[in-house]
Amino acid sequence: MATDERNFRSYYYEKVGFRGVEEKKSLEILLKDKPLDVIKLKQFCLRFPVPALHRNKVWKILLGVLSAYTDSHQWIWEQRQIQFSDLTHALDVMGHTTAATQPSEKLLLVWLLENRCLHYDYIMQLQRPDHLKKLAILETCLKLFDREVDAYWLAKGFFHFSTKFIQGHVKFKELLKMKLEIEDSDLYKHVISLGAMESLPLEYWFGQCFAGYIAETSLVRIWDKLLGGSTQIIVFLAVALILHFRHSILACKNNEEINQCVSKVTKETSEIVVNEAIELWQEHGGPIGLTITDLPKQK
């Protein structure tokens, strides 16, 4: 009953232009705590979408870009900006960046320089598979946030997740198989019979946290939950994506055709798939049945 009530209210708020009104107020209360309760912020991200107005700040806190002590935020962010400015200036002086350099490539060069792994032949270095994954994450962050400095520091945090997912690729792949078989055994058998699990771009899906595959306007809701502590949400997104193209995949006769099917993800499809992924995640143990009464109240 509680879940149904909240779903009805959320639908109503969205229709009248006030989506997540009460959640937004509750988050603002959490952001007034001194020091900030990082655990409660993570719980909020798991339970509700982070309002766009506060996403920049919440993500910075959860990624460690800013500390839990709000009085230090201004000083810390000033130092982050100075560091970013020094790095970009150094690249300009070395002639590695110009006005024609793509923003995502520029930010990756900043990261390489900061981590002391920028090679002389940096153009070839940018084309390495692991760096292409980082470029996809950077491009998504640049679309989400207005300033390059914000996009850079937030993308750096997601690089940690991308590395973690690549290292645990086999584990996540096995989990994907298990969840897909539970949801649709016929589809699972068809995919396995064609050996498609070996050809699907799982390493890129997981290694990029789906950046470049799912529209950023929808993907943020998955990344909210990722920062809340649910790494399995990425697996459920993969399951939902495969399930969404069920009829097309069942008609496929080889791996190439299946790969073509799952690559046709429009902005509209992204929203549908993300909704389905979150529903699956909830069905398999995500935070459900929570109402606004579970959130802090105005004092």
Side-chain angles (χ1 to χ4, degrees):
M1 180 66 74
T3 304
D4 291 339
E5 181 184 353
R6 182 182 176 276
N7 288 341
F8 171 78
R9 288 187 298 176
S10 297
Y11 176 80
Y12 172 75
Y13 284 139
E14 184 175 356
K15 281 294 183 182
V16 298
F18 293 98
R19 182 178 181 181
V21 170
E22 294 180 73
E23 288 97 328
K24 178 175 177 289
K25 290 180 180 177
S26 298
L27 177 58
E28 289 172 350
I29 295 169
L30 289 176
L31 291 174
K32 290 178 182 178
D33 286 345
K34 290 190 176 183
L36 295 168
D37 191 325
V38 176
I39 293 178
K40 286 185 179 179
L41 286 175
K42 286 186 175 182
Q43 290 173 343
F44 182 95
C45 290
L46 286 173
R47 299 171 182 179
F48 309 106
V50 177
L53 178 65
H54 299 298
R55 183 168 280 120
N56 189 317
K57 184 175 183 178
V58 171
W59 281 13
K60 283 177 181 174
I61 294 165
L62 296 184
L63 288 169
V65 178
L66 296 175
S67 77
Y69 298 92
T70 54
D71 290 342
S72 67
H73 281 187
Q74 182 177 349
W75 183 84
I76 292 174
W77 186 240
E78 286 175 355
Q79 301 309 305
R80 300 289 193 198
Q81 290 177 300
I82 291 171
Q83 183 179 353
F84 180 78
S85 179
D86 288 344
L87 289 166
T88 53
H89 177 67
L91 289 171
D92 287 341
V93 171
M94 289 187 290
H96 287 358
T97 54
T98 66
T101 304
Q102 292 296 316
S104 58
E105 293 184 354
K106 171 185 172 182
L107 296 190
L108 181 54
L109 290 173
V110 170
W111 182 83
L112 291 169
L113 180 59
E114 182 187 359
N115 287 274
R116 301 181 181 182
C117 53
L118 180 62
H119 297 170
Y120 176 76
D121 189 6
Y122 63 92
I123 299 297
M124 291 296 294
Q125 193 178 8
L126 294 178
Q127 301 306 311
R128 282 173 38 179
D130 56 330
H131 291 160
L132 289 175
K133 295 181 182 74
K134 289 181 173 62
L135 280 172
I137 293 173
L138 285 164
E139 287 168 3
T140 292
C141 287
L142 283 165
K143 291 176 182 177
L144 291 172
F145 304 101
D146 294 333
R147 300 191 303 169
E148 288 184 345
V149 63
D150 291 297
Y152 175 71
W153 285 105
L154 290 166
K156 272 187 63 179
F158 282 100
F159 290 171
H160 165 73
F161 287 102
S162 67
T163 301
K164 183 176 181 179
F165 290 143
I166 291 171
Q167 292 173 345
H169 175 255
V170 175
K171 174 184 174 183
F172 282 93
K173 180 179 176 182
E174 290 305 312
L175 183 59
L176 168 58
K177 287 181 178 180
M178 183 179 72
K179 299 298 183 184
L180 181 60
E181 185 175 18
I182 291 172
E183 292 301 318
D184 194 324
S185 61
D186 290 337
L187 179 60
Y188 169 78
K189 290 175 183 176
H190 180 69
V191 171
I192 293 298
S193 68
L194 293 179
M197 278 295 175
E198 307 306 321
S199 64
L200 284 170
L202 299 181
E203 183 180 346
Y204 287 91
W205 285 359
F206 299 148
Q208 296 173 196
C209 305
F210 275 92
Y213 287 95
I214 299 294
E216 69 282 351
T217 50
S218 301
L219 186 59
V220 288
R221 295 166 56 208
I222 298 295
W223 284 11
D224 284 342
K225 303 202 180 322
L226 188 60
L227 291 182
S230 176
T231 54
Q232 287 194 11
I233 191 69
I234 292 294
V235 175
F236 285 108
L237 182 55
V239 173
L241 182 58
I242 295 171
L243 288 174
H244 180 78
F245 291 104
R246 180 182 192 277
H247 296 297
S248 299
I249 291 175
L250 287 174
C252 292
K253 298 179 181 179
N254 54 57
N255 294 342
E256 185 178 347
E257 290 180 359
I258 290 180
N259 287 342
Q260 289 177 351
C261 282
V262 297
S263 66
K264 300 174 182 178
V265 187
T266 64
K267 188 174 182 179
E268 291 74 18
T269 300
S270 293
E271 186 65 16
I272 294 170
V273 169
V274 165
N275 286 336
E276 293 173 346
I278 292 174
E279 288 178 7
L280 281 173
W281 173 73
Q282 290 175 335
E283 290 172 7
H284 287 263
I288 59 176
L290 292 161
T291 67
I292 302 302
T293 57
D294 295 302
L295 294 172
K297 298 299 182 183
Q298 186 75 47
K299 296 180 181 178

